[in-house]
Amino acid sequence: MYGDVVMGLKPASKEEEDPFEVLIDELKHKRGVSNDTDLTTDDLKELVASFKAAIKAQTGEEFPVNPWDQLWGAVGAVFGSWMNDRAILYRKLNNIPAEWGTAVTVQAMVFGNMGTNSATGVAFSRDAATGENLFNGEYLINAQGEDVVAGIRTPQQITLEGSRRWAAAQNVSEADRASKFASLEEVMPTVYKELFDIQHHLETYFKDMQDIEFTIQDGKLWMLQCRNGKRTGAAMVKIAMDMLAEGLIDEKTAVLRVEPEKLDELLHPVFDKAAMKSAQVVTKGLPASPGAATGPVVFFAEDAEKLLNEKGQRAILVRIETSPEDLKGMLDAAGILTARGGMTSHAAVVARGMGKCCVSGAGDLQIDYKARKITVGSHTIKEGDWISLNGSTGEVYLGQVATQAADLSGDFGKLMDLAKKYSVLKVRANADSPKDARQAFEFGAEGIGLCRTEHMFFEGDRIKSVREMILADDEAGRRVALAKLLPIQRGDFEGLFRVMNGHPVTVRLLDPPLHEFVPHSEKEQREMAQEMNIPFEKVVARVESLAEFNPMLGHRGCRLGNTYPEITEMQTRAIIEAALDVRKSGVPVHVEIMVPLVGNHKELRYQKAIIDETAAMVFTERNDKIDYLVGTMIEVPRAAVTANQIAEVAEFFSFGTNDLTQMTLGFSRDDIGKFLPVYLEKGIIKADPFQILDRNGVGQLIREAVFKGRGTRENLKCGICGEHGGEPSSVEFCHFAGLNYVSCSPFRVPIARLSAAHAALKEA
Ligand code: PEP
Ligand code: MG
């Protein structure tokens, strides 16, 4: 270890084996033995000499024999390790501020490798994968701590119960288990009892699940360290709710114990039960970190990174074992599969921390890094072949296995109830279809904060009518096409109103530049010409005339509705008619109509006049009425600074922080990737402003707009519907800025709900 960590004798390339392991293997081969423990004292002396020679040969330095030199070498290596890339990533993942330094503690050592009456292990006071209140962990007789986590020897379970479960999962008979893999509880009952009592004491004292490391030196138990244990999202929720029920912590603490982002793991699908029946299990390892993952196989961390960056695809990272060098690749992978290592191996611990599905210690896998393939039984799996992992059972399947939605009842439901109890902000969803709306509603959304009507335009055949409208020569032609769209849009809105059952639904009028909808290929343009019975050249000319140099700042948003009022008329009619129809059927409806991209109050006044006139017309025709609000997006900086004028017309504000960020920073939403990595690296900006709200710039505009808007209209409802609405730190900002709600994509609704509660509790 000193040769590796301090002196830097490492594998020459990623494909090579550890040089020390190579020397050990060579000697074992020479002696004809298979276990390290079969080597004699003389063998070990020979090995030490060959280790020293290898270090000298590769590093040019003698192995130090003076203990002071050794100690300084070790201290230096600890400080050095704090500066390297993986330490930087580690600090990022664990939210350790960059400015924190480190200290080195030098202490006397106890030895778990002093014979068969010595051992070492790692334990958790509760199950870090599922949260079950069950003391568990792994140990090795006659070993040092590194041996347990390195995954070189397969550790044994600490408790009898854990040992039996492990044996059942591994198909090990009870007789074999008891003779070869006995638990600490059986092997050293007195020490076990002491360990059990200590872990219980520690958990009660710290009021959180503990991750403890211990060594038994010649029958005496030594505690090495304890800390709050890392856990999966599922375990985080269960432990918090269990500890609340046990009276160990109160409601507020329970809410604060769950990191909002971690909920993400619970919300995503698990394997579909039906698909599982036909899925072919190819091997089984340990259920190291739960969930379902499917993807193409890669063998090296950088390939997982590459696949995600270049193809947007998440891989299954397959390794003999993982090391801290693999962190980034693990983060980018869908799941991790290792051939070696137990439940506390590097892969298992890190994957749980990341909430990644992981199967560890699948010992039947023969991984050949050079040939980039796995052999398992009669199967060969090559790089790029798909496999699927079940991190909750340890099963590995050939191919892609279908998934199904997660179960959101029980502890999750209780946590969400508590989040609601302690939140001030309401949470809505951005949804454009009844399916998304239903999903959002199930996650507890209290309304739809943004329905992007244009998303409905692409479904099925309707794009043809949309194109007909865009390609028309004049208003009369546009009206013909719009008349075809009216019943379709009405149907869309009806679906949303029904699902939301009286909760507010904010429908935004058409926003994107028209050029986004027109046919671009010659084939499509010819089809369109035929459909509309006009010359092909005319279609081409019209498409060309719509092209803009800077479409995001071009003919879009309310500029469309103000130049083509008939579009606003059609959309308003569809919204109001749908609302009346749904209400007539006995379902309550709460309508909000939202105008995009307003920068000048007059733009909104024109749109509001059209909306009100159209609604009044429908009311007369139907001899019926319904309340509705007309509001605006605040997504142009000018709208924010003139919010006092805009609020004279707008009955609500919704901050479109995607465009507001784009226009405030002058960073293109679509092209930021070219310079963002450099800006982050140089520290010019701290985070991607399209993910985490830029509080000092965009945030100040939001504060100003809320202040000025409410100066005009005292109880002006304000929300946010940009992507930031589902990001915890941005939700916190929204709370402090006094918004009424945040709106985000359906799968982020629970994260936003919990973030909203955190913000309120932190303020309190
Ligand atoms: C926004 O700009 O933040 C917004 C929600 O609108 P879109 O993303 O559709 O431009
Ligand atoms: Mg926008």
Side-chain angles (χ1 to χ4, degrees):
M1 198 168 165
Y2 194 96
D4 168 2
V5 176
V6 181
M7 305 204 66
L9 183 61
K10 293 180 187 299
S13 78
K14 63 185 184 184
E15 276 102 357
E16 303 300 323
E17 273 248 40
D18 177 84
F20 295 104
E21 292 292 337
V22 171
L23 293 173
I24 297 172
D25 287 344
E26 274 172 17
L27 189 67
K28 281 196 295 194
H29 187 72
K30 215 157 90 184
R31 296 285 181 269
V33 298
S34 51
N35 292 318
D36 296 7
T37 43
D38 293 335
L39 294 173
T40 65
T41 305
D42 284 337
D43 291 338
L44 294 179
K45 285 182 176 168
E46 188 181 325
L47 206 51
V48 168
S50 64
F51 281 179
K52 285 181 172 174
I55 289 170
K56 171 86 187 171
Q58 200 175 313
T59 69
E61 281 179 56
E62 291 290 349
F63 191 91
V65 289
N66 176 334
W68 288 106
D69 292 343
Q70 293 181 352
L71 204 48
W72 280 115
V75 168
V78 174
F79 280 113
S81 75
W82 201 243
M83 311 306 291
N84 66 22
D85 287 351
R86 48 184 227 244
I88 291 166
L89 184 64
Y90 173 86
R91 290 201 291 273
K92 242 188 190 163
L93 290 173
N94 289 284
N95 288 326
I96 300 170
E99 54 275 18
W100 281 18
T102 187
V104 179
T105 306
V106 179
Q107 62 184 91
M109 196 159 155
V110 282
F111 294 88
N113 54 355
M114 292 229 312
T116 51
N117 201 23
S118 298
T120 193
V122 177
F124 295 91
S125 61
R126 303 192 184 211
D127 191 315
T130 65
E132 189 181 352
N133 188 358
L134 189 75
F135 176 50
N136 67 96
E138 295 171 330
Y139 79 107
L140 278 172
I141 293 276
N142 196 9
Q144 282 293 70
E146 189 64 13
D147 303 330
V148 181
V149 292
I152 291 157
R153 282 165 65 185
T154 297
Q156 287 153 245
Q157 297 295 309
I158 290 177
T159 66
L160 178 55
E161 162 130 28
S163 180
R164 291 202 165 126
R165 286 188 190 188
W166 172 87
Q170 299 281 313
N171 288 328
V172 171
S173 72
E174 174 56 19
D176 266 6
R177 185 204 67 75
S179 63
K180 291 191 211 141
F181 305 102
S183 65
L184 185 72
E185 191 172 352
E186 295 158 282
V187 179
M188 300 183 184
T190 317
V191 173
Y192 171 78
K193 172 80 177 58
E194 196 186 355
L195 181 65
F196 183 88
D197 291 345
I198 290 173
Q199 65 83 26
H200 182 69
H201 182 77
L202 287 169
E203 186 183 276
T204 315
Y205 180 81
F206 287 109
K207 298 187 185 350
D208 201 352
M209 186 264 272
Q210 296 300 302
D211 166 345
I212 60 184
E213 291 179 17
F214 63 92
T215 284
I216 301 159
Q217 179 177 295
D218 203 16
K220 183 173 164 65
L221 175 65
W222 296 85
M223 303 305 293
L224 303 188
Q225 84 173 20
C226 80
R227 57 183 161 184
N228 293 340
K230 286 208 185 316
R231 63 205 76 176
T232 62
M236 201 173 263
V237 174
K238 179 157 172 55
I239 290 171
M241 300 322 286
D242 281 356
M243 287 190 169
L244 172 65
E246 291 158 23
L248 212 54
I249 55 176
D250 63 13
E251 284 183 355
K252 294 178 183 174
T253 309
V255 169
L256 289 169
R257 273 288 164 81
V258 182
E259 295 164 29
E261 284 289 0
K262 281 275 198 184
L263 288 180
D264 201 36
E265 296 163 31
L266 278 76
L267 308 178
H268 288 287
V270 290
F271 281 132
D272 184 273
K273 288 208 177 71
M276 290 286 272
K277 287 202 182 108
S278 57
Q280 191 187 354
V281 177
V282 64
T283 190
K284 202 167 172 189
L286 297 171
S289 182
T294 186
V297 167
V298 299
F299 294 99
F300 300 103
E302 59 262 38
D303 292 334
E305 284 184 60
K306 219 166 111 191
L307 196 68
L308 183 66
N309 291 340
E310 290 176 6
K311 298 214 175 124
Q313 200 170 49
R314 291 194 186 269
I316 301 290
L317 177 63
V318 182
R319 302 281 306 160
I320 295 172
E321 59 203 64
T322 63
S323 73
E325 272 89 3
D326 298 325
L327 268 187
K328 181 72 174 65
M330 293 171 76
L331 200 60
D332 289 346
I336 297 133
L337 171 64
T338 68
R340 285 195 204 144
M343 295 290 281
T344 47
S345 64
H346 178 266
V349 171
V350 172
R352 279 200 295 274
M354 291 174 174
K356 286 275 144 153
C357 165
C358 174
V359 173
S360 66
D364 292 343
L365 300 180
Q366 284 173 15
I367 300 174
D368 183 340
Y369 286 141
K370 275 192 186 139
R372 300 192 177 222
K373 66 172 190 184
I374 310 166
T375 318
V376 51
S378 57
H379 300 281
T380 303
I381 302 166
K382 296 190 298 298
E383 185 176 70
D385 289 350
W386 281 63
I387 59 169
S388 304
L389 309 179
N390 186 337
S392 314
T393 63
E395 274 152 342
V396 181
Y397 305 91
L398 281 181
Q400 199 172 354
V401 181
T403 54
Q404 66 178 35
D407 175 20
L408 299 175
S409 52
D411 288 328
F412 180 84
K414 283 186 219 152
L415 176 69
M416 285 294 108
D417 289 345
L418 287 181
K420 188 165 177 179
K421 179 170 169 183
Y422 292 105
S423 298
V424 177
L425 274 174
K426 291 200 183 304
V427 177
R428 297 194 191 181
N430 295 353
D432 324 307
S433 68
K435 180 175 164 274
D436 284 357
R438 208 166 294 122
Q439 178 71 75
F441 197 61
E442 274 165 25
F443 285 152
E446 295 179 82
I448 291 180
L450 173 63
C451 161
R452 293 178 165 104
T453 48
E454 62 272 11
H455 285 184
M456 301 162 158
F457 283 6
F458 285 101
E459 255 173 55
D461 258 5
R462 46 182 83 179
I463 187 67
K464 285 195 183 140
S465 307
V466 177
R467 288 174 174 172
E468 202 179 315
M469 185 262 294
I470 296 169
L471 298 174
D473 274 338
D474 51 15
E475 188 186 324
R478 275 193 296 278
R479 284 194 184 274
V480 171
L482 285 166
K484 292 185 196 166
L485 282 170
L486 173 69
I488 301 173
Q489 287 248 285
R490 190 170 52 218
D492 291 332
F493 299 140
E494 274 184 34
L496 287 181
F497 293 147
R498 280 188 201 287
V499 173
M500 294 317 285
N501 195 21
H503 287 89
V505 176
T506 309
V507 182
R508 181 180 74 185
L509 303 180
L510 191 63
D511 182 39
L514 297 181
H515 197 249
E516 282 189 13
F517 301 104
V518 295
H520 293 285
S521 73
E522 185 184 327
K523 183 171 166 275
E524 283 178 309
Q525 290 175 348
R526 287 198 185 279
E527 267 173 27
M528 206 58 225
Q530 209 166 24
E531 192 101 3
M532 289 178 68
N533 202 15
I534 53 172
F536 163 68
E537 293 71 27
K538 199 168 164 191
V539 173
V540 176
R542 184 80 178 119
V543 168
E544 276 171 12
S545 78
L546 285 169
E548 294 175 298
F549 279 112
N550 205 339
M552 290 307 272
L553 298 177
H555 195 185
R556 61 169 287 220
C558 64
R559 300 160 203 173
L560 290 170
N562 278 328
T563 46
Y564 301 143
E566 54 278 11
I567 299 179
T568 303
E569 276 173 37
M570 182 281 284
Q571 291 202 295
T572 305
R573 182 171 275 278
I575 296 165
I576 299 291
E577 287 183 354
L580 291 173
D581 287 346
V582 170
R583 197 188 51 186
K584 210 172 207 165
S585 71
V587 178
V589 180
H590 182 144
V591 190
E592 298 178 343
I593 300 175
M594 181 155 76
V595 180
L597 218 75
V598 164
N600 173 330
H601 67 105
K602 287 191 189 156
E603 290 178 298
L604 182 60
R605 283 183 201 279
Y606 269 100
Q607 286 295 288
K608 183 157 190 308
I610 299 167
I611 295 166
D612 288 343
E613 275 163 30
T614 309
M617 215 181 314
V618 177
F619 294 158
T620 314
E621 287 162 19
R622 298 277 185 115
N623 198 17
D624 197 358
K625 262 182 129 161
I626 193 161
D627 287 336
Y628 64 93
L629 295 181
V630 177
T632 183
M633 305 220 19
I634 302 286
E635 52 184 345
V636 174
R638 192 180 189 284
V641 296
T642 60
N644 48 329
Q645 288 178 314
I646 290 177
E648 285 169 12
V649 197
E651 292 166 306
F652 64 87
F653 281 177
S654 179
F655 291 95
T657 44
N658 303 332
D659 275 311
L660 193 57
T661 299
Q662 167 163 272
M663 289 187 234
T664 303
L665 279 80
F667 287 178
S668 160
R669 281 166 77 161
D670 308 302
D671 302 316
I672 188 173
K674 296 229 167 68
F675 59 89
L676 179 70
V678 180
Y679 267 41
L680 290 174
E681 199 188 298
K682 289 196 163 38
I684 294 174
I685 52 175
K686 268 198 173 157
D688 176 353
F690 290 101
Q691 281 180 30
I692 296 179
L693 192 93
D694 160 42
R695 294 189 185 201
N696 291 339
V698 178
Q700 289 312 304
L701 283 174
I702 293 177
R703 284 187 184 277
E704 182 172 348
V706 171
F707 180 77
K708 286 186 167 167
R710 289 190 179 145
T712 302
R713 198 182 281 265
E714 198 179 331
N715 292 317
L716 182 75
K717 186 163 56 170
C718 295
I720 178 176
C721 64
E723 288 311 301
H724 305 88
E727 188 282 317
S729 94
S730 312
V731 173
E732 182 185 274
F733 173 83
C734 293
H735 171 88
F736 288 114
L739 299 197
N740 302 87
Y741 69 87
V742 297
S743 188
C744 55
S745 65
F747 272 97
R748 304 216 46 102
V749 164
I751 296 165
R753 292 178 66 192
L754 189 57
S755 306
H758 278 205
L761 287 172
K762 281 182 198 163
E763 184 184 40

